[in-house]
Amino acid sequence: MSLPTISAVICTRNRGERILAAVESILANDHPAFELIVVDQSTDEVTGTALRRFHHDRRLRYITTPTKGLGLARNIGLQLARAPLVAFTDDDCRVPSDWLRIIEDELRREPQAAVLFCNVFEGPHDTNAGFIPGYQLRQRAVVKTFWQKCRARGIGAGMAVRREPVLAMGGFDEALGAGGYFPSAEDADIAVRAIAHGWHVLETPATFVIHDGFRTWREARELAARDWEGLGAAYIKPLKAGRWQAGIVLLYEFLVPALIEPLLPVFHLQRPRGLGRLVALVRGCLRGLAHPINREQLVYQGVTGVPAVVERSL
């Protein structure tokens, strides 16, 4: 098989057969030269067994590792990818058949963009019972400054990167992401660090993923606390390294989403909603200040060791 020009990566942990829709949708892509890498951090064999139905498809590479943490799993996929462009989606998402082709076209149009985010549409669900995290934008934007990053809020369910520049800046911060030392925000972090290293972030509505990751309203508060703590840990790092211009991103998070937006109901004589964001953001900043960083790459140090990785035949 010829070398791929783009790699797709799905990171998974204990999803079992629920990953099949994501894998099927990527393998159905019309891109002529791609590979799909599944990085499996599961504690059982269920996911690997479910994926055996694709054993005949040489585009699929199955990686097992006993590690834990989304930032680390993304780095494993990034390091093993054979293509210069690497697209990421989650194990509870589906992509259209032209997803990889459009991502590659978009990044070719913007050679200075090291990170790309696309739309993330919510799958069918009962809005009375809960919600699905998503991200929708109408206009294409090239984010070049920290000020522009304040309003650019793409999520990792629909993300792509240039492999070499991102590896050069230390890859994803392995302390961040679900299951990591800090429980979220490895996607927001890589965008800020790309800008700090002189690269751009591309946000495009030209393609999308469909997210089926349903959460109940009872889970919303826990999810929000996790996300805002991760953002605090991500955005305090440039300040620790003396990159003061990046402080506008953290200041914006404090003032607008974490303070002003939760207080808006007060003007309608209602109780404020969402002030837990502020508490979690401060907690993430304080925990981040106490943890050492690599000042050049802007990643936390001493969080994980060398991962054990095995590429297995299905």
Side-chain angles (χ1 to χ4, degrees):
M1 186 172 65
S2 60
L3 285 177
T5 59
I6 187 168
S7 302
V9 173
I10 300 175
C11 303
T12 190
R13 180 178 173 84
N14 295 336
R15 286 284 185 170
E17 292 191 354
R18 288 176 289 178
I19 194 178
L20 295 180
V23 171
E24 288 174 346
S25 69
I26 292 179
L27 292 179
N29 261 238
D30 57 15
H31 191 285
F34 75 91
E35 65 177 355
L36 169 58
I37 301 171
V38 173
V39 180
D40 187 6
Q41 295 180 315
S42 298
T43 58
D44 55 39
E45 300 289 331
V46 179
T47 301
T49 300
L51 290 174
R52 286 176 185 167
R53 68 183 64 187
F54 303 109
H55 70 91
H56 61 282
D57 197 325
R58 297 178 61 197
R59 297 172 300 176
L60 176 59
R61 299 169 60 192
Y62 177 61
I63 311 299
T64 61
T65 170
T67 58
K68 182 180 179 182
L70 184 55
L72 177 54
R74 291 200 194 278
N75 275 346
I76 292 172
L78 187 65
Q79 291 160 1
L80 293 177
R82 296 182 296 164
L85 306 177
V86 183
F88 292 90
T89 192
D90 292 345
D91 57 8
D92 54 4
C93 293
R94 294 168 285 133
V95 307
S97 61
D98 56 1
W99 186 62
L100 292 173
R101 179 166 49 82
I102 291 177
I103 286 175
E104 186 173 50
D105 289 344
E106 287 286 280
L107 286 172
R108 282 179 175 173
R109 289 176 58 192
E110 299 292 341
Q112 194 59 26
V115 181
L116 173 149
F117 293 106
C118 67
N119 277 336
V120 178
F121 296 139
E122 300 93 338
H125 65 286
D126 180 358
T127 56
N128 293 318
F131 71 105
I132 294 176
Y135 181 68
Q136 296 185 30
L137 53 114
R138 295 182 179 180
Q139 294 183 334
R140 189 177 189 270
V142 179
V143 180
K144 303 178 182 180
T145 67
F146 293 115
W147 174 249
Q148 292 172 325
K149 172 61 185 73
C150 292
R151 301 302 296 272
R153 310 180 72 85
I155 61 178
M159 175 176 63
V161 302
R162 292 189 190 276
R163 181 176 182 272
E164 291 303 326
V166 170
L167 285 177
M169 66 179 75
F172 291 89
D173 192 324
E174 296 178 358
L176 298 173
Y181 186 80
F182 299 103
S184 185
E186 85 294 338
D187 42 9
D189 176 74
I190 197 65
V192 166
R193 288 170 49 225
I195 295 170
H197 285 85
W199 291 88
H200 300 162
V201 176
L202 173 61
E203 292 208 313
T204 177
T207 191
F208 62 92
V209 305
I210 300 173
H211 192 192
D212 294 316
F214 178 79
R215 276 83 165 176
T216 66
W217 291 117
R218 180 175 295 181
E219 295 171 312
R221 181 173 297 180
E222 180 181 346
L223 181 66
R226 184 197 76 178
D227 289 347
W228 284 94
E229 182 175 340
L231 287 174
Y235 293 160
I236 199 66
K237 287 186 297 177
L239 298 183
K240 288 186 65 173
R243 305 198 183 195
W244 305 110
Q245 66 275 26
I248 188 65
V249 181
L250 185 57
L251 181 62
Y252 176 86
E253 298 296 338
F254 268 112
L255 291 180
V256 181
L259 184 60
I260 295 176
E261 291 179 5
L263 290 177
L264 285 178
V266 173
F267 295 98
H268 300 281
L269 303 180
Q270 298 175 356
R271 295 180 60 184
R273 294 192 299 269
L275 283 174
R277 299 176 183 177
L278 183 61
V279 175
L281 187 64
V282 171
R283 183 169 62 245
C285 288
L286 293 176
R287 291 186 66 203
L289 285 171
H291 205 84
I293 64 167
N294 180 311
R295 296 173 64 90
E296 176 60 31
Q297 296 181 331
L298 300 178
V299 296
Y300 286 107
Q301 294 180 317
V303 179
T304 59
V306 178
V309 175
V310 177
E311 183 164 357
R312 295 172 52 186
S313 298
L314 292 170

